[in-house]
Amino acid sequence: MKYIEPHGHMVSRTTDDYQKMAMAGCEAICEPAFWAGYDRASVQGFYDYFRQLTEYEPARAAKFGIPHFCWLCINPKESEDAGFAREVLSLIPEFIDNPTVLGIGEIGLNKNTKNELAIFEEHVEIAKKYDQPILIHTPHLEDKLKGTKLIIDALKNAQVDSSRVVIDHVEEHTAGLVLDNGFWAGMTLYPESKCTPARAVDILENFGMENIWMNSACDWGVSDPLAVVKTALEMGKRKYDKDTVERVIYDNPKSFLENCPNFKI
Ligand SMILES: [Zn+2]
């Protein structure tokens, strides 16, 4: 099996996790900038985090033979203080030309507030200015549908090319909305909450296998760095052939990521 982990927060994982992913056939890991499990106290905290994403984590992944790429932003959870968020945004140009940076993400909404939306729109302007693709985080539970609609409206207002945007954490009630508007959709697999492997395959069966990827998030919470592989096994159990499985776990993320000039495997 070969696959791509298109959304993994490796800064919170151990070297054992890297080893397991390498053994399972992982050919690339893409790490969006996000909340780190705690709120950073200063802009300097983000400067250090961007260095971790662009320097230290690629070096750690390389020890296991896996290319590591990243996306840059301040996440919606820490964007509520708009003044602070703008100071973090001002750091992005310094890092954007790094050879492993894929684009702007994961930006989006957390509680669908006015400040979050303003900072989201400012990120979109940076992406347009530097001609970068965008990776989007959608809110959880009851905020998800409303947040997804707000995000799609903002992207349409900004006239962003939808084929260069992936909207992540889709579920049954948002996948159709995202795909019908021409965006890529991402499903985030978690062992307990959110999308389990079986539920993800149900979603694939309902919405098709075009323009959709799966990721494990593998963050600081209860999560599983092998969730994509386990979902591939679930597809095998349901008698999907090897080519179809590979299309979902390798070809699809590769197709989207080829929008990013720095993505090479
Ligand atoms: Zn994430």
Side-chain angles (χ1 to χ4, degrees), residues 240-249 251:
Y240 285 98
D241 62 33
K242 203 169 153 272
D243 287 350
T244 307
V245 175
E246 194 167 295
R247 178 146 66 95
V248 175
I249 65 173
D251 298 338

mmCIF file of all heavy atoms in Angstrom, residues 240-249 251:
data_model
loop_
_atom_site.group_PDB
_atom_site.id
_atom_site.type_symbol
_atom_site.label_atom_id
_atom_site.label_comp_id
_atom_site.label_asym_id
_atom_site.label_seq_id
_atom_site.Cartn_x
_atom_site.Cartn_y
_atom_site.Cartn_z
ATOM 1 N N TYR A 240 -13.638 -3.208 -2.434
ATOM 2 C CA TYR A 240 -13.118 -2.271 -3.427
ATOM 3 C C TYR A 240 -11.780 -2.797 -3.915
ATOM 4 O O TYR A 240 -10.997 -3.338 -3.121
ATOM 5 C CB TYR A 240 -12.931 -0.879 -2.809
ATOM 6 C CG TYR A 240 -14.235 -0.171 -2.615
ATOM 7 C CD1 TYR A 240 -14.870 -0.175 -1.377
ATOM 8 C CD2 TYR A 240 -14.860 0.472 -3.675
ATOM 9 C CE1 TYR A 240 -16.089 0.451 -1.203
ATOM 10 C CE2 TYR A 240 -16.086 1.100 -3.506
ATOM 11 C CZ TYR A 240 -16.696 1.086 -2.273
ATOM 12 O OH TYR A 240 -17.900 1.695 -2.103
ATOM 13 N N ASP A 241 -11.508 -2.644 -5.237
ATOM 14 C CA ASP A 241 -10.232 -3.162 -5.737
ATOM 15 C C ASP A 241 -9.092 -2.210 -5.363
ATOM 16 O O ASP A 241 -9.316 -1.080 -4.922
ATOM 17 C CB ASP A 241 -10.289 -3.440 -7.246
ATOM 18 C CG ASP A 241 -10.565 -2.182 -8.050
ATOM 19 O OD1 ASP A 241 -10.134 -1.088 -7.641
ATOM 20 O OD2 ASP A 241 -11.219 -2.296 -9.101
ATOM 21 N N LYS A 242 -7.873 -2.713 -5.555
ATOM 22 C CA LYS A 242 -6.676 -1.998 -5.125
ATOM 23 C C LYS A 242 -6.560 -0.623 -5.796
ATOM 24 O O LYS A 242 -6.179 0.350 -5.157
ATOM 25 C CB LYS A 242 -5.466 -2.878 -5.517
ATOM 26 C CG LYS A 242 -4.217 -2.634 -4.750
ATOM 27 C CD LYS A 242 -3.196 -3.744 -5.029
ATOM 28 C CE LYS A 242 -1.786 -3.243 -4.831
ATOM 29 N NZ LYS A 242 -1.158 -2.633 -6.021
ATOM 30 N N ASP A 243 -6.931 -0.548 -7.085
ATOM 31 C CA ASP A 243 -6.815 0.725 -7.811
ATOM 32 C C ASP A 243 -7.747 1.791 -7.238
ATOM 33 O O ASP A 243 -7.386 2.961 -7.147
ATOM 34 C CB ASP A 243 -7.141 0.530 -9.300
ATOM 35 C CG ASP A 243 -6.027 -0.214 -10.020
ATOM 36 O OD1 ASP A 243 -4.950 -0.405 -9.419
ATOM 37 O OD2 ASP A 243 -6.238 -0.623 -11.180
ATOM 38 N N THR A 244 -8.948 1.363 -6.856
ATOM 39 C CA THR A 244 -9.916 2.327 -6.303
ATOM 40 C C THR A 244 -9.426 2.841 -4.951
ATOM 41 O O THR A 244 -9.498 4.042 -4.666
ATOM 42 C CB THR A 244 -11.304 1.663 -6.150
ATOM 43 O OG1 THR A 244 -11.654 1.101 -7.409
ATOM 44 C CG2 THR A 244 -12.355 2.654 -5.702
ATOM 45 N N VAL A 245 -8.906 1.915 -4.138
ATOM 46 C CA VAL A 245 -8.393 2.321 -2.823
ATOM 47 C C VAL A 245 -7.236 3.296 -3.011
ATOM 48 O O VAL A 245 -7.179 4.355 -2.376
ATOM 49 C CB VAL A 245 -7.944 1.083 -2.003
ATOM 50 C CG1 VAL A 245 -7.288 1.522 -0.693
ATOM 51 C CG2 VAL A 245 -9.119 0.151 -1.739
ATOM 52 N N GLU A 246 -6.341 2.959 -3.946
ATOM 53 C CA GLU A 246 -5.172 3.817 -4.163
ATOM 54 C C GLU A 246 -5.573 5.188 -4.710
ATOM 55 O O GLU A 246 -4.940 6.190 -4.404
ATOM 56 C CB GLU A 246 -4.185 3.122 -5.108
ATOM 57 C CG GLU A 246 -2.822 3.792 -5.100
ATOM 58 C CD GLU A 246 -1.755 2.941 -5.765
ATOM 59 O OE1 GLU A 246 -1.450 1.857 -5.238
ATOM 60 O OE2 GLU A 246 -1.239 3.355 -6.821
ATOM 61 N N ARG A 247 -6.639 5.209 -5.488
ATOM 62 C CA ARG A 247 -7.111 6.494 -6.007
ATOM 63 C C ARG A 247 -7.466 7.419 -4.843
ATOM 64 O O ARG A 247 -7.128 8.600 -4.831
ATOM 65 C CB ARG A 247 -8.341 6.265 -6.911
ATOM 66 C CG ARG A 247 -8.938 7.534 -7.463
ATOM 67 C CD ARG A 247 -9.495 7.314 -8.862
ATOM 68 N NE ARG A 247 -10.633 6.408 -8.884
ATOM 69 C CZ ARG A 247 -11.917 6.802 -8.863
ATOM 70 N NH1 ARG A 247 -12.216 8.077 -8.827
ATOM 71 N NH2 ARG A 247 -12.882 5.915 -8.896
ATOM 72 N N VAL A 248 -8.152 6.879 -3.835
ATOM 73 C CA VAL A 248 -8.624 7.713 -2.725
ATOM 74 C C VAL A 248 -7.479 8.111 -1.786
ATOM 75 O O VAL A 248 -7.407 9.259 -1.343
ATOM 76 C CB VAL A 248 -9.737 6.983 -1.938
ATOM 77 C CG1 VAL A 248 -10.149 7.786 -0.707
ATOM 78 C CG2 VAL A 248 -10.944 6.735 -2.837
ATOM 79 N N ILE A 249 -6.584 7.172 -1.493
ATOM 80 C CA ILE A 249 -5.587 7.470 -0.444
ATOM 81 C C ILE A 249 -4.258 8.003 -1.005
ATOM 82 O O ILE A 249 -3.438 8.500 -0.245
ATOM 83 C CB ILE A 249 -5.322 6.246 0.472
ATOM 84 C CG1 ILE A 249 -4.683 5.085 -0.294
ATOM 85 C CG2 ILE A 249 -6.598 5.816 1.174
ATOM 86 C CD1 ILE A 249 -4.247 3.932 0.617
ATOM 87 N N ASP A 251 -3.762 8.899 -5.119
ATOM 88 C CA ASP A 251 -3.908 9.725 -6.334
ATOM 89 C C ASP A 251 -4.669 11.021 -6.058
ATOM 90 O O ASP A 251 -4.295 12.079 -6.556
ATOM 91 C CB ASP A 251 -4.637 8.945 -7.440
ATOM 92 C CG ASP A 251 -3.871 7.700 -7.867
ATOM 93 O OD1 ASP A 251 -2.651 7.649 -7.654
ATOM 94 O OD2 ASP A 251 -4.507 6.773 -8.407
#
